[in-house]
Amino acid sequence: MVAVMELLTQGDQIRLERYRLPCIVEDVLGSGGQGEVYRVQIDRNGQRHPYALKWYYPHAATDDQFTLLQALVKRGPPNTRFAWPLDIATRAGEPGFGYVMPLRADRYHGVVEMMDERIKPSFRAITIAGLQLADGFWQLHAAGLCYRDISFGNVFLDPDAGDVLICDNDNVGIDGRSNVSIQGTNGFMAPEIVRGDSAPSIMTDLYSLSVLLFYMFMVHHPLQGRRG
């Protein structure tokens, strides 16, 4: 994880480009390679509603990323299992931007927590999660989009019900057409990406998804182990 740099502070007011609703920063939730995620409150008709805001580091706040976000906001999610960008966020008169998305409910836990046994979902819950992941990415691909970075860090599940939530959707793009700013996560990338022969695509998404599903059911990488 990247150290939190406090790009935003509590009480900062953010402008939503599409809905033009008041948005107030509350506290930081975490950070990653592209930016920081904050809890924010959006005021609708005098009532405040919690959302999450991802704000990009300067090196990630590119024109290409802004254009990609505009397309994602306009298109909307393939289904409700994607914590999709809802609106672009900016600060009046200041550089930088981010986007707001649904706030992840407390019932969802990272798949990595299952790997180290901090949560222990039943086989039924894992099976439901696997079906929902397969269906979710099928719907994404059917729309001509590729995810590019299927891995532990981007998928969450309810260990009781098996419901999944797919996060970090800001790198989703049109298969074979959108500019690629991310190659994937080590251990999940298809061999042709590692060799530099191919960019992320729907086909490489399927490789990454198969690795993730194997991990979920077997708690191990499918290509690692003792030979003979």
Side-chain angles (χ1 to χ4, degrees):
M1 296 288 285
V2 176
V4 175
M5 297 171 59
E6 293 296 335
L7 298 173
L8 303 175
T9 58
Q10 186 177 13
D12 281 353
Q13 294 190 20
I14 305 300
R15 181 178 63 187
L16 301 183
E17 295 291 299
R18 184 179 186 186
Y19 294 107
R20 301 191 181 281
L21 294 171
C23 179
I24 308 298
V25 175
E26 289 197 328
D27 55 335
V28 64
L29 298 175
S31 61
Q34 287 184 302
E36 295 173 356
V37 178
Y38 299 81
R39 185 194 313 273
V40 297
Q41 294 284 344
I42 295 179
D43 193 322
R44 288 183 176 176
N45 300 320
Q47 293 186 334
R48 289 192 170 188
H49 302 271
Y51 286 85
L53 165 71
K54 179 175 179 178
W55 193 264
Y56 291 99
Y57 295 128
H59 76 270
T62 64
D63 290 341
D64 285 342
Q65 187 66 55
F66 192 89
T67 300
L68 179 58
L69 283 174
Q70 285 180 317
L72 292 173
V73 169
K74 183 177 180 180
R75 177 183 289 269
N79 63 35
T80 57
R81 299 187 187 107
F82 290 83
W84 202 258
L86 301 175
D87 203 346
I88 297 175
T90 59
R91 285 191 291 180
E94 297 188 40
F97 63 89
Y99 69 92
V100 291
M101 57 186 159
L103 185 66
R104 176 167 53 89
D106 291 339
R107 68 188 181 101
Y108 289 103
H109 298 262
V111 173
V112 69
E113 295 181 57
M114 185 173 69
M115 296 298 107
D116 59 18
E117 297 188 336
R118 280 181 285 166
I119 59 171
K120 296 182 179 180
S122 66
F123 181 78
R124 180 179 183 277
I126 297 172
T127 301
I128 292 173
L131 289 171
Q132 290 191 7
L133 285 171
D135 178 67
F137 284 112
W138 178 84
Q139 293 190 45
L140 183 79
H141 294 157
L145 303 174
C146 59
Y147 186 83
R148 298 173 173 161
D149 190 21
I150 300 173
S151 65
F152 288 148
N154 301 329
V155 174
F156 296 80
L157 80 157
D158 179 338
D160 297 319
D163 294 329
V164 300
L165 186 66
I166 301 166
C167 298
D168 292 332
N169 296 286
D170 52 327
N171 291 304
V172 171
I174 299 174
D175 187 45
R177 289 176 53 189
S178 299
N179 291 328
V180 178
S181 61
I182 191 167
Q183 298 294 309
T185 298
N186 289 337
F188 292 87
M189 289 187 287
E192 57 266 38
I193 297 178
V194 177
R195 293 194 305 265
D197 297 336
S198 174
S201 66
I202 287 175
M203 295 305 297
T204 62
D205 271 0
L206 296 179
Y207 177 92
S208 301
L209 178 59
S210 67
V211 172
L212 176 61
L213 292 174
F214 192 93
Y215 258 122
M216 290 172 62
F217 283 96
M218 306 302 295
V219 198
H220 203 274
H221 192 284
L223 301 181
Q224 295 177 349
R226 179 178 297 175
R227 298 182 61 183

